[in-house]
């Protein structure tokens, strides 16, 4: 099993450009989520999904869109990149249900917006 | 609202000394609490969870509902414990996991 995979590993964008960060998991997990990691602020939840067709906002959703058309994939879209979105982005997945929700993380995507 | 507070950004201890990483939380229901660790150049990974009441790599954490705390402790720190530690909280059912700001632990030789 590959676990949670993310592409690309690194990306540089100009202000105003759009792009999609890819995330896939092969563990048949219902729950998937996106976080951004910034120095001094830890991981902040952007969006999450509890299953195909169901998404919801986290702590910092503005400027990001998500969709969940399959169990395996959960892409994160930046509609119009801003320098404030420079960060390391992590995707995670887990099964759901009390006592079973260890989150498995991807390797991260380091994004720089100029 | 869910909130996780880790008051220390950096904790530096000598090898063999006890270590305690503090975590306080705010949640109106029955939370599930976790500690995650990120070693240098590795993925974030689960260290332990309150529901298992386990000891991993010598670390333990006790959920204190009265003080709304879930502090991580180890009696004798090792150099290989140097890492970033995150306390996390999820609601009943495992949705919407929120993380604290993290504490960087540095164990000196």
């Amino acid at each position: 099993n590959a676990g949670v995979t993310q592409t690309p590993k690194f990306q540089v964008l100009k202000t105003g450009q759009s792009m999609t960060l890819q995330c896939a998991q092969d563990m048949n997990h219902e729950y998937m989520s996106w976080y951004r990691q910034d120095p001094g602020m830890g991981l902040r939840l952007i969006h999450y999904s509890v299953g195909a067709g169901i998404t919801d906002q986290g702590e910092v959703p503005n400027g990001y869109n998500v969709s969940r058309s399959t169990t395996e994939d959960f892409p994160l879209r930046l509609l119009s990149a801003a320098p404030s979105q420079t960060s390391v982005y992590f995707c995670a997945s887990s099964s759901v249900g009390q006592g079973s929700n260890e989150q498995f993380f991807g390797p991260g995507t380091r994004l720089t917006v100029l | 609202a869910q909130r996780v507070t880790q008051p220390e950004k950096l904790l530096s201890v000598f090898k063999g000394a006890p270590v305690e990483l503090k975590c306080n939380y705010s949640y109106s229901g029955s939370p599930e609490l976790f500690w995650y660790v990120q070693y240098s150049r590795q993925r974030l990974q689960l260290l332990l969870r309150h529901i298992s009441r386990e000891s991993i790599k010598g670390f333990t954490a006790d959920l204190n509902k009265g003080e709304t705390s879930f502090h991580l402790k180890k009696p004798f720190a090792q150099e290989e414990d140097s890492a970033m530690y995150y306390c996390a909280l999820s609601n009943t059912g495992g949705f919407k996991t929120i993380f604290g700001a993290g504490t960087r632990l540095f164990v000196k030789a």
Side-chain angles (χ1 to χ4, degrees):
Chain A
N1 285 353
V4 180
T5 58
Q6 291 182 238
T7 55
K9 283 190 168 58
F10 302 94
Q11 183 70 50
V12 179
L13 292 177
K14 293 181 180 176
T15 297
Q17 287 185 313
S18 63
M19 81 158 293
T20 299
L21 307 185
Q22 301 291 346
C23 174
Q25 52 91 11
D26 60 1
M27 297 174 281
N28 202 31
H29 284 163
E30 304 96 323
Y31 182 81
M32 295 185 75
S33 53
W34 276 102
Y35 294 87
R36 57 178 291 172
Q37 184 183 44
D38 301 291
M41 307 194 75
L43 283 88
R44 291 181 291 169
L45 182 64
I46 304 171
H47 285 285
Y48 64 98
S49 168
V50 299
I54 307 169
T55 64
D56 205 348
Q57 297 181 349
E59 301 170 278
V60 288
N62 292 343
Y64 307 95
N65 270 3
V66 291
S67 60
R68 184 97 178 269
S69 56
T70 67
T71 300
E72 294 79 19
D73 301 296
F74 191 44
L76 178 72
R77 296 184 195 83
L78 281 70
L79 307 173
S80 178
S84 61
Q85 293 178 304
T86 293
S87 187
V88 181
Y89 290 85
F90 289 98
C91 179
S93 75
S94 70
S95 55
V96 296
Q98 194 167 11
S100 62
N101 52 349
E102 172 184 355
Q103 294 217 66
F104 294 85
F105 282 83
T109 294
R110 186 174 293 275
L111 175 68
T112 301
V113 183
L114 303 174
Chain B
Q2 290 172 253
R3 183 176 298 166
V4 177
T5 303
Q6 293 180 251
E8 304 132 333
K9 282 193 167 66
L10 173 66
L11 190 60
S12 183
V13 300
F14 283 102
K15 177 182 170 182
V19 63
E20 182 180 46
L21 288 78
K22 291 185 168 50
C23 172
N24 288 90
Y25 68 91
S26 172
Y27 184 66
S28 56
S30 294
E32 296 192 36
L33 276 297
F34 306 83
W35 278 97
Y36 283 81
V37 61
Q38 189 174 29
Y39 300 104
S40 179
R41 288 187 289 279
Q42 292 188 28
R43 299 189 187 199
L44 199 67
Q45 59 188 280
L46 178 69
L47 179 63
L48 53 80
R49 67 192 96 186
H50 91 271
I51 201 166
S52 303
R53 302 182 65 83
E54 58 203 342
S55 173
I56 302 292
K57 299 185 179 182
F59 285 98
T60 59
D62 290 318
L63 178 59
N64 186 323
K65 291 187 178 180
E67 295 182 0
T68 59
S69 68
F70 189 55
H71 304 326
L72 183 68
K73 300 177 184 178
K74 184 169 183 176
F76 308 104
Q78 302 299 314
E79 289 180 76
E80 55 265 29
D81 296 329
S82 294
M84 193 74 176
Y85 291 81
Y86 291 98
C87 183
L89 174 156
S90 70
N91 55 14
T92 306
F95 308 143
K96 201 172 179 182
T97 300
I98 302 295
F99 285 76
T103 298
R104 182 165 295 283
L105 175 64
F106 181 55
V107 181
K108 297 176 283 191

